[in-house]
Amino acid sequence: MTDHQLPISTGFVEVDGGQLHYEVAGKGQPLILLQENGLVDKRIWDYQFLTFAHHYRVIRYDQRGYGQSLSSKKPYTAVDDLAQILQTLNIESAYLLALGAGLALDFVHAHASSVDAIILVSPEINPHQSFDEAMADLPTILERLAPAIEAVKQNDMQRATDLVIQDLMLPSSANYQWVRNIVAKNFQAVLNPPLPPSVDINAFSSRHQWYKEIHVPTLLLIGDSARSEIQSSTVSLEKTIPGAQKREISRARYLLNAEQVEQFNRAALDFLSAIK
């Protein structure tokens, strides 16, 4: 994770109602690393950040309320925050490598000319689901998290953290403890959730239409032990986004970039290097 040959610049980007902490390394085509899971911060890319910086100008930043970025004081959108990152760092267009799918796809929809390619890792999104239907599914999500929530209520934070980690990666991963430390650090956000980003309900409910209009190179990366929801999401996105490619990472669940570093890095770099 350490490479002293590559200098790293850091700072804060001013956004409406807050600041976003970022890091930049490398030169060339900009590559922005995104994480949507609310229990990890930009450190989850430690095994990619400097490795990829040998080939690209790599940018990673903390979402509001996580890592070194403070919670928002007023309503905001994650798309506007990402746009502000690009503007502040004088980036006209970039590759997006996202843990999750929503932010990257929403950004393509709003700023198509600013995206040259997208890699979606463990996407869990149903293009045919309206906003109201997604809200109706929240009890199902909460049911999956019920044991961890109960552990939190009992003030057993160690057990709560372990239960959450089991949903993110296979216990056999060599980086299990490293990820656990990151999650434990961000667990305070579960107890005191930051203000979530606002959602464009119309764009959300019409995804099944505009996903078909995405025409940048797209790679879907999924673990062979991914939850069924992620598996079905990946199949749906592959069918909906024109020309989308899919690649499976073996012996991985959700945090593919931490579970199988070499497999993941090779898949991502091979895909990006093939773009003309």
Side-chain angles (χ1 to χ4, degrees):
M1 289 187 291
T2 303
D3 192 328
H4 298 293
Q5 296 179 345
L6 289 174
I8 300 174
S9 60
T10 67
F12 286 92
V13 167
E14 298 290 334
V15 290
D16 191 20
Q19 292 180 321
L20 304 177
H21 188 266
Y22 71 88
E23 296 179 340
V24 182
K27 298 179 180 180
Q29 167 72 23
L31 168 62
I32 301 180
L33 309 179
L34 304 168
Q35 63 285 339
E36 295 184 41
N37 185 288
L39 290 170
V40 296
D41 53 52
K42 65 179 179 296
R43 290 175 296 164
I44 202 64
W45 298 109
D46 278 357
Y47 287 96
Q48 286 74 45
F49 182 57
L50 290 176
T51 298
F52 288 14
H54 284 289
H55 309 275
Y56 305 99
R57 181 188 179 199
V58 183
I59 300 96
R60 62 177 177 175
Y61 68 97
D62 288 322
Q63 303 290 334
R64 300 198 196 202
Y66 299 94
Q68 294 174 268
S69 296
L70 298 178
S71 297
S72 180
K73 300 176 182 178
K74 57 176 65 176
Y76 69 98
T77 73
V79 168
D80 287 345
D81 280 358
L82 177 52
Q84 190 62 43
I85 290 282
L86 269 68
Q87 180 178 333
T88 301
L89 298 179
N90 297 313
I91 297 172
E92 292 186 2
S93 63
Y95 297 149
L96 302 182
L97 170 50
L99 180 59
L103 173 54
L105 292 173
D106 287 350
F107 190 80
V108 173
H109 181 48
H111 303 277
S113 63
S114 297
V115 181
D116 298 313
I118 51 178
I119 300 177
L120 306 177
V121 183
S122 300
E124 187 174 356
I125 191 168
N126 182 352
H128 304 283
Q129 188 179 53
S130 70
F131 181 79
D132 289 340
E133 290 170 338
M135 292 300 98
D137 270 357
L138 280 179
T140 302
I141 298 174
L142 292 175
E143 182 179 352
R144 192 178 81 236
L145 297 175
I149 294 173
E150 183 59 32
V152 170
K153 290 179 179 178
Q154 296 175 3
N155 202 32
D156 188 349
M157 301 309 294
Q158 287 195 351
R159 174 168 169 73
T161 302
D162 287 333
L163 288 170
V164 168
I165 294 292
Q166 291 171 19
D167 194 50
L168 298 179
M169 65 193 307
L170 298 176
S172 58
S173 171
N175 288 324
Y176 186 91
Q177 189 59 46
W178 172 70
V179 171
R180 190 187 187 285
N181 291 338
I182 294 177
V183 170
K185 182 71 173 179
N186 284 287
F187 220 99
Q188 188 63 31
V190 175
L191 305 178
N192 299 289
L195 181 68
S198 300
V199 176
D200 184 336
I201 297 177
N202 290 330
F204 188 103
S205 298
S206 61
R207 293 176 302 178
H208 64 286
Q209 297 174 330
W210 58 263
Y211 278 10
K212 297 177 182 178
E213 301 171 4
I214 294 175
H215 293 290
V216 296
T218 302
L219 175 64
L220 306 167
L221 290 177
I222 182 174
D224 61 356
S225 296
R227 285 186 283 103
S228 59
E229 295 89 346
I230 294 175
Q231 294 178 24
S232 60
S233 171
T234 303
V235 170
S236 183
L237 289 173
E238 185 181 17
K239 292 179 179 178
T240 306
I241 300 175
Q245 303 175 38
K246 182 183 77 171
R247 174 131 179 213
E248 187 173 89
I249 302 297
S250 62
R251 302 183 303 282
R253 178 168 289 163
Y254 179 86
L255 293 176
L256 318 181
N257 60 309
E259 294 179 273
Q260 297 295 339
V261 176
E262 291 187 9
Q263 271 193 76
F264 178 90
N265 290 0
R266 180 46 49 203
L269 290 173
D270 284 351
F271 171 75
L272 294 176
S273 65
I275 296 174
K276 304 300 181 182

